[in-house]
Structure formats: C-alpha cells, structure tokens
Amino acid sequence: MEQELQMMRAPQKRRAGLTGFDLKVIALVLMVLDHIHYFFEFTGAVPLIFNQLGRLSAGLFLFSVVEGFVHTHNRKKYFLRIYLISLAMGLTLYGMLVFGVARGDGMVPLNQIMANFVVLLPMLQGCEWLGQRRWVRGLAALLLPMAWPYLVLYLLCSLFPVLNGWVALVGFTVLPMHNLVMDGGTWYVLSGLLLYLLRKNRFLQAGGYFVFNLLVYGGMALSVPGITAAEFFNTYFEWMCAFSALFMVFYNGERGKNIKSFFYVFYPAHVYVLFGLSCLVWDWLH
C-alpha cells in the first residue's frame, strides 16, 4: 500500500512530443507574426514570411479546438466561452462596418476565427449523437450549421429584401454564417470536421488535413488564370496552412500547462491593440 502511494505521489514523466499547451503557444506566436503583417503591411517594413508562417496558426488552433471538444469535462461551458468571444467580436466588427469606424485606408479588423468554432462545435456534437444513433438530433446538429446560411440568404432574403440588414447582423453575431466569415470560412470549418473524424489515428488525421487543404487551397490558387510560380508562393499561398499538419504529428496527447483563460483573453486583446497601433502609424505616415 505504501509503495502504491509513493508511486501516486511521484511526478509523472512527460511523454515525448508536443503538449496541447505547446501547440497553442506555437500557434499564438505564428498568429502574432501573421497579424503584425496583416495590420502593418502598408508600411512596407514587415516581411512577407510573417504572413506565410502565419498560415500554420489557424490549423493548429483548429486542431486544439477539436482536442478541447473531445477532452473537456463540460462541453456546454467550453462552447459558451468561445461563443461569447465570437459574439463580442462579431458585434464590434458589425458596428465598425455600419458606423464607418476604420483606419485611414478603410481597413477594419476582420479577425473572426472564433465564429468558425461556433459553427464547428455543434457539428462535432452532431457526429457524437449520430454515433449514439440519435439520428434526428445528430443530423440536425451536423447539417443545419452548414445549410442554414444558404437557406436564409437565398430563400428568405430573396423573398423579403428588407431583411438583408437584419440577416447580416445575425450572421455576424448571434448565429455566425460560415460563408460570411472572412477569417476562415466554409473550407476551414470542413477541415475541422475532418480532423475530428480522423482523430483516432494521428498520422491519418494529420495526413488527411494536409492533403485536404493542399488540394482545396492549392487548387484554388492554380485555378487563377495565368498564375505564375512566384504568385503561387508569394500571393496565393493559403495552401501553406496544410503544413500545420507537421506539428499535429508530434502531439503527445497531453494537455500540458492549463492557462486557458490567457488564450481566450489574448486573442481579442491583441487584435484590437494591433489595429489601434496601426491606425496611429497610418496617421503618422500620412
């Protein structure tokens, strides 16, 4: 008995590889580089590689959200935290667009990655319910988040154009529409669904994510008429997001340090700080 207690008290040896905390830190650093380029590109002083490396951050955050959904003890609270951040940022963005709050060149921060997760998480829950043979609830949760924007935009708004403004408000805030999200969007949500479906085999999961994104975004780039090799790498490089799969392979399944509140606060805070600073720099240069 005493030997068992000593074993329980002994510090657990960390597995080789990257913890969930490590992946979030890597994603955060890459995201900040990306956003420095996003907000200060107009100065001509920020190298393009900041933006290219930043393509990897979105995939790592997506992977982290899927892992969070699978392992959290309270999915309702997990969803609610993400939902409230998405709602606040969506209201801010909508207000900026409506009231013309922008940088001198008309730029507003379109950073709404949380909205993608608000769309994705109910779909993942739908997959869970389908696995439990709760067919009606499962199909509704899986399909409605993807289908309802098209139903609303192409049916309701076409019949009642007066509703366009209200639909836009709802689509940016209360019920995010994946086809209105400019920081991610439909393909991003679908790649999150793929990560979830392949989660039981890490190499298949990472490989599937890599191939899916390379085909989708690489295909989009190659479909641009007359695209050159330089443009493929330096202009239409969204396909580089596929390489976040390299970090996924080294995930060791451990959560690591738990400072989740920091990540939730840091995302909106750094967006508006960088935007505010960019406004000051714009005014100073012009």
Side-chain angles (χ1 to χ4, degrees):
M1 183 67 178
E2 184 177 349
Q3 186 177 7
E4 291 178 357
L5 288 173
Q6 289 177 350
M7 292 179 64
M8 292 175 63
R9 292 170 186 163
Q12 298 294 316
K13 186 178 180 180
R14 171 177 163 169
R15 299 177 190 172
L18 299 170
T19 66
F21 172 79
D22 296 332
L23 290 178
K24 288 178 182 177
V25 170
I26 293 170
L28 184 146
V29 171
L30 294 174
M31 175 185 68
V32 171
L33 292 178
D34 182 36
H35 289 167
I36 289 174
H37 184 275
Y38 175 61
F39 286 111
F40 296 96
E41 180 184 9
F42 69 89
T43 65
V46 184
L48 180 63
I49 194 172
F50 277 33
N51 198 200
Q52 292 168 325
L53 288 173
R55 299 306 87 205
L56 279 66
S57 64
L60 294 178
F61 280 125
L62 189 62
F63 179 82
S64 298
V65 166
V66 171
E67 284 294 302
F69 170 82
V70 172
H71 297 294
T72 186
H73 297 296
N74 192 323
R75 287 179 178 172
K76 289 182 179 179
K77 287 185 178 180
Y78 183 69
F79 175 79
L80 184 60
R81 284 193 296 266
I82 292 174
Y83 179 79
L84 291 176
I85 297 172
S86 172
L87 178 61
M89 296 189 74
L91 284 170
T92 302
L93 173 58
Y94 186 80
M96 286 181 168
L97 293 173
V98 170
F99 296 107
V101 179
R103 199 170 63 194
D105 58 349
M107 188 265 197
V108 295
L110 301 177
N111 308 83
Q112 256 291 59
I113 197 170
M114 292 292 184
N116 298 283
F117 305 147
V118 171
V119 176
L120 174 64
L121 289 173
M123 296 174 66
L124 302 188
Q125 186 59 56
C127 291
E128 290 271 310
W129 284 331
L130 288 174
Q132 300 166 6
R133 299 189 177 183
R134 301 165 75 176
W135 304 115
V136 175
R137 181 178 294 189
L139 286 173
L142 176 62
L143 299 178
L144 283 179
M146 293 299 293
W148 92 269
Y150 298 108
L151 295 175
V152 170
L153 290 174
Y154 298 125
L155 291 180
L156 188 61
C157 289
S158 62
L159 294 174
F160 307 101
V162 70
L163 296 176
N164 283 343
W166 290 105
V167 168
L169 173 60
V170 171
F172 274 109
T173 58
V174 183
L175 294 173
M177 295 183 179
H178 58 85
N179 54 349
L180 291 184
V181 177
M182 288 161 278
D183 186 13
T186 305
W187 292 112
Y188 185 63
V189 173
L190 290 176
S191 59
L193 181 62
L194 181 67
L195 284 174
Y196 174 79
L197 294 175
L198 300 179
R199 70 191 184 282
K200 294 184 179 179
N201 186 314
R202 186 73 64 222
F203 289 99
L204 182 61
Q205 181 189 42
Y209 178 86
F210 179 84
V211 172
F212 178 81
N213 284 277
L214 199 61
L215 289 176
V216 169
Y217 294 110
M220 289 181 183
L222 293 174
S223 67
V224 175
I227 186 172
T228 64
E231 289 174 330
F232 184 73
F233 284 96
N234 298 323
T235 303
Y236 304 98
F237 52 80
E238 194 67 31
W239 54 270
M240 291 182 181
C241 67
F243 289 95
S244 57
L246 297 175
F247 293 98
M248 299 176 193
V249 170
F250 292 100
Y251 175 56
N252 63 12
E254 296 180 358
R255 182 176 67 177
K257 294 181 182 179
N258 184 17
I259 55 170
K260 59 187 177 184
S261 297
F262 170 77
F263 292 104
Y264 288 126
V265 172
F266 183 85
Y267 178 72
H270 94 283
V271 165
Y272 299 122
V273 168
L274 288 177
F275 174 67
L277 290 174
S278 76
C279 290
L280 293 175
V281 173
W282 174 272
D283 292 340
W284 178 60
L285 292 178
H286 295 82

